[in-house]
Amino acid sequence: MVSVRDRRRWRTLPVADEIRTDIPHSARIWNYWMGGKDNYEIDRQVGDASLEIDPDIGEMATESRKFLIRAVGHLAGEVGIRQFLDIGTGLPTMRNTHEVAQDIAPDAHVVYVDNDPLVLTHARALLTSVTDEGVTTYVEADFNNPEHILGEVSGILDLTRPVGVMFMGVLGHARTHDDLLRIVRTVLAAVPPGSHLVHWDGTTDSPYYVRMCEEYSKSGGVPYYPRTQDQLRTVFDGLELLEPGFGKITHWRRPDPERAGVRDIAAYGGVARKP
């Protein structure tokens, strides 16, 4: 396997030309909701307008990160996963995947995948927080082309060993449910038994969330399509769901004392093992 340190093929990008500051971007809006500073005025405007439509969306952003921390922590700890493929990673905020994994397993390898130019400008920051034993790197790719992603990561991750594959609140950008399933199943077909899928997304349970997504699409951003719980559950077909199964991300392996005061939000997912 080629050393990742020999394979950091940074492409020189005219970033200022590629980043559109006049069109909102979901990753930057998400960053805004989570208290980050990597966003523009248009993102803050759309973010505030979205909060007026769906006041729960800010909590969804922070709760999704807490779910990531618990899920990655479990996989790196109890399960012993040492490789993570975080597809559609978005902008770095609090406790990113590599930080959680390498705190537990210093030799963990983490590959982030995204195709947003602003995310690319922050990739070097991600690469600075690496343990001596571990590897953290970034691949520029569109999740709609999973074959390309697999070709890019094949020299970084050992695809004969289990991988933690992560789609964290991003597959709503897939145009159809069939596209969503194609993307996930193509990636999972390339990783061995013992690999795990971590996936969550917003659902149509909340009419406010559905309306917010509709209004976001009108703003010029890439459309986001909420799915039903049943549609999200099919992502795990053929896999072995870990306890407590598919359900609210706010409850997934959350210590009982911490559940007090946690509001229900229209965000569902789970963690499952490839048999």
Side-chain angles (χ1 to χ4, degrees):
M1 185 170 64
V2 179
S3 167
V4 70
R5 290 179 174 82
D6 294 331
R7 207 172 171 276
R8 289 180 182 170
R9 299 174 300 169
W10 289 99
R11 183 164 66 91
T12 301
L13 293 173
V15 174
D17 292 336
E18 293 198 20
I19 296 175
R20 292 290 301 272
T21 61
D22 58 331
I23 296 176
H25 192 285
S26 59
R28 301 194 308 246
I29 296 171
W30 207 254
N31 176 268
Y32 172 57
W33 286 331
M34 294 183 70
K37 298 180 180 179
D38 299 313
N39 46 73
Y40 296 99
E41 180 61 27
I42 186 64
D43 305 308
R44 295 186 285 274
Q45 290 175 359
V46 173
D48 289 339
S50 298
L51 284 167
E52 290 182 8
I53 297 170
D54 182 6
D56 287 341
I57 192 63
E59 188 165 358
M60 185 184 291
T62 56
E63 286 295 336
S64 68
R65 183 50 55 109
K66 293 176 183 178
F67 171 60
L68 179 152
I69 292 168
R70 295 194 299 272
V72 173
H74 176 72
L75 293 183
E78 289 91 333
V79 178
I81 297 291
R82 293 295 178 267
Q83 303 185 107
F84 292 86
L85 179 58
D86 189 341
I87 300 176
T89 179
L91 288 159
T93 52
M94 63 175 187
R95 298 292 288 160
N96 300 288
T97 299
H98 71 288
E99 295 168 323
V100 178
Q102 291 171 358
D103 277 351
I104 297 169
D107 60 337
H109 285 46
V110 178
V111 178
Y112 293 103
V113 179
D114 210 296
N115 69 336
D116 179 73
L118 185 61
V119 175
L120 183 60
T121 66
H122 288 272
R124 286 186 173 85
L126 288 174
L127 289 171
T128 60
S129 300
V130 184
T131 61
D132 290 339
E133 305 94 325
V135 168
T136 306
T137 193
Y138 175 92
V139 167
E140 184 190 6
D142 186 339
F143 73 64
N144 288 292
N145 189 351
E147 294 85 0
H148 176 66
I149 292 173
L150 292 167
E152 288 292 303
V153 304
S154 62
I156 304 171
L157 302 178
D158 181 353
L159 298 184
T160 67
R161 297 172 52 234
V163 178
V165 177
M166 303 169 59
F167 291 95
M168 307 297 283
V170 298
L171 287 175
H173 284 305
R175 190 174 61 84
T176 68
H177 184 241
D178 286 342
D179 282 340
L180 183 157
L181 294 178
R182 172 187 61 82
I183 292 163
V184 175
R185 290 171 181 171
T186 298
V187 176
L188 289 180
V191 297
S195 295
H196 286 66
L197 171 67
V198 187
H199 172 252
W200 81 271
D201 218 325
T203 64
T204 56
D205 295 40
S206 167
Y208 305 107
Y209 177 69
V210 172
R211 183 184 162 210
M212 186 208 70
C213 291
E214 291 172 347
E215 292 301 316
Y216 174 73
S217 298
K218 296 176 184 177
S219 72
V222 179
Y224 205 88
Y225 304 100
R227 265 95 194 192
T228 66
Q229 286 188 44
D230 286 342
Q231 287 177 316
L232 294 190
R233 190 180 285 107
T234 62
V235 175
F236 297 100
D237 285 353
L239 306 177
E240 300 169 347
L241 276 162
L242 305 189
E243 292 294 334
F246 176 85
K248 300 172 183 175
I249 63 170
T250 50
H251 292 172
W252 194 91
R253 301 205 175 204
R254 191 187 205 113
D256 287 339
E258 294 183 13
R259 292 192 184 188
V262 175
R263 291 189 300 154
D264 287 340
I265 55 176
Y268 288 76
V271 180
R273 179 183 182 276
K274 179 178 177 178

